[in-house]
């Protein structure tokens, strides 16, 4: 059996709570908890603004380059069949925020986040970002199109936005100023495949993992079961 994993599945969920991750992936049980739609709207507005600019307009920490446009990438990208450290097959598939082609013909993958600013923010999304790098390094294909092979991928990172103040307003409209910060990520492919192996170990178990004391959802479920 070949397991399909979304890059967005790889960071917070399995590290926070094996049980909740297992139930979500194996039994399709989840309390939801998706970000409010406003964050998706922020993401769309940010990408629309920057997509036709030079990467230097984002941050001086990136080389000169341009954003790949919507017509240059399929709507969803997938890897070919990959193997974890125990030779178990898996496929990665998802939709990256921003893919960059630099003037030296190398590539970068960025994610936009509306969040508290942090110099190490990219560490929170390191497996997600590396997953996209693996997809472009070992591309596959689906009905909607073939994923292009992009190499070398030299830059991964998170571009952060944080609301700072309203500059002006008129009836039912306001101009908002946002602070920006770029958090680069150093690639670690060996650590990525160790993490994938850890995740597939969880999913291949026949037993639901134990409750996690630090998990709010686990505590809610336990308290509900004990409620009289």
């Amino acid at each position: 059996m070949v397991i399909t994993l979304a890059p967005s599945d790889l960071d917070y969920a399995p590290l926070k709570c094996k049980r909740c991750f297992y139930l979500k992936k194996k039994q399709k049980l989840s309390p939801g908890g998706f970000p409010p739609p406003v964050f998706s709207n922020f993401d769309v507005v940010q990408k629309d603004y920057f997509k036709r600019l030079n990467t230097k307009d984002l941050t001086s920490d990136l080389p000169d380059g341009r954003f790949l446009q919507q017509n240059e990438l399929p709507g969803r990208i997938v890897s070919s069949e990959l193997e974890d450290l125990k030779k178990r097959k898996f496929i990665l598939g998802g939709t990256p925020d921003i893919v960059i082609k630099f003037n030296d013909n190398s590539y970068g993958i960025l994610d936009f986040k509306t969040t508290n600013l942090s110099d190490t923010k990219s560490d929170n999304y390191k497996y997600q970002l590396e997953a996209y790098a693996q997809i472009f390094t070992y591309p596959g294909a689906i009905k909607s199109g073939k994923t292009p092979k992009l190499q070398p991928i030299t830059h991964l990172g998170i571009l952060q936005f944080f609301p700072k103040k309203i500059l002006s307003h008129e009836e039912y409209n306001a101009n908002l100023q946002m602070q920006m910060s770029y958090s680069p990520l150093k690639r670690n492919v060996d650590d990525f495949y160790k993490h994938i192996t850890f995740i597939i170990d969880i999913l291949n178990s026949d037993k639901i993992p134990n409750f996690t004391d630090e998990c709010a959802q686990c505590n809610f479920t336990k308290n509900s079961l004990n409620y009289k």
Side-chain angles (χ1 to χ4, degrees):
M1 176 182 174
V2 180
I3 292 176
T4 299
L5 297 169
S8 57
D9 284 337
L10 303 183
D11 283 294
Y12 284 115
L15 293 173
K16 276 187 171 183
C17 181
K18 294 180 185 179
R19 180 184 177 86
C20 289
F21 180 68
Y22 182 95
L23 291 174
K24 176 184 176 184
K25 295 297 290 182
K26 295 273 286 194
Q27 300 185 11
K28 310 302 181 187
L29 296 175
S30 172
F34 295 105
V38 65
F39 288 101
S40 297
N41 291 345
F42 272 130
D43 190 63
V44 169
V45 169
Q46 290 152 2
K47 286 189 283 188
D48 281 348
Y49 177 81
F50 285 107
K51 66 183 179 183
R52 302 200 182 279
L53 302 180
N54 189 286
T55 54
K56 285 288 188 185
D57 295 313
L58 278 179
T59 169
S60 59
D61 292 331
L62 291 172
D64 282 316
R66 68 176 185 86
F67 302 107
L68 293 187
Q69 301 300 306
Q70 193 172 17
N71 62 353
E72 297 180 273
L73 293 171
R76 173 179 166 82
I77 61 170
V78 296
S79 71
S80 57
E81 285 190 2
L82 305 173
E83 290 185 343
D84 73 355
L85 298 182
K86 297 181 179 179
K87 304 299 182 183
R88 296 171 298 193
K89 297 185 183 299
F90 68 96
I91 292 173
L92 299 167
T95 305
D97 267 4
I98 295 293
V99 181
I100 297 169
K101 183 175 184 180
F102 298 113
N103 291 353
D104 64 359
N105 289 321
S106 65
Y107 295 88
I109 300 167
L110 303 185
D111 210 17
F112 283 3
K113 301 292 183 187
T114 301
T115 181
N116 292 323
L117 305 186
S118 167
D119 291 339
T120 59
K121 182 67 70 175
S122 61
D123 289 342
N124 295 337
Y125 302 94
K126 60 183 179 180
Y127 299 120
Q128 176 179 329
L129 290 167
E130 182 58 42
Y132 284 118
Q134 291 298 307
I135 292 172
F136 284 120
T137 302
Y138 304 104
I142 53 177
K143 290 181 179 179
S144 61
K146 188 179 188 311
T147 300
K149 187 179 182 71
L150 305 182
Q151 282 189 296
I153 295 173
T154 56
H155 290 74
L156 302 177
I158 297 293
L159 190 71
Q160 307 161 75
F161 297 83
F162 186 77
K164 185 179 180 182
K165 63 180 178 180
I166 292 176
L167 297 176
S168 62
H169 83 284
E170 55 189 33
E171 188 172 10
Y172 303 128
N173 282 290
N175 294 315
L176 179 66
Q177 184 182 62
M178 302 188 82
Q179 288 180 291
M180 293 171 54
S181 178
Y182 176 63
S183 174
L185 178 70
K186 184 177 180 180
R187 293 186 63 183
N188 188 334
V189 177
D190 289 341
D191 180 56
F192 175 79
Y193 278 92
K194 287 179 183 177
H195 186 64
I196 290 291
T197 303
F198 163 74
I199 285 176
I200 295 179
D201 281 343
I202 295 173
L203 297 179
N204 276 357
S205 175
D206 293 327
K207 182 181 178 182
I208 298 174
N210 292 328
F211 288 102
T212 302
D213 290 339
E214 294 77 21
C215 174
Q217 181 60 31
C218 281
N219 286 325
F220 175 82
T221 302
K222 283 193 296 184
N223 291 334
S224 297
L225 291 173
N226 292 330
Y227 179 77
K228 296 187 185 298

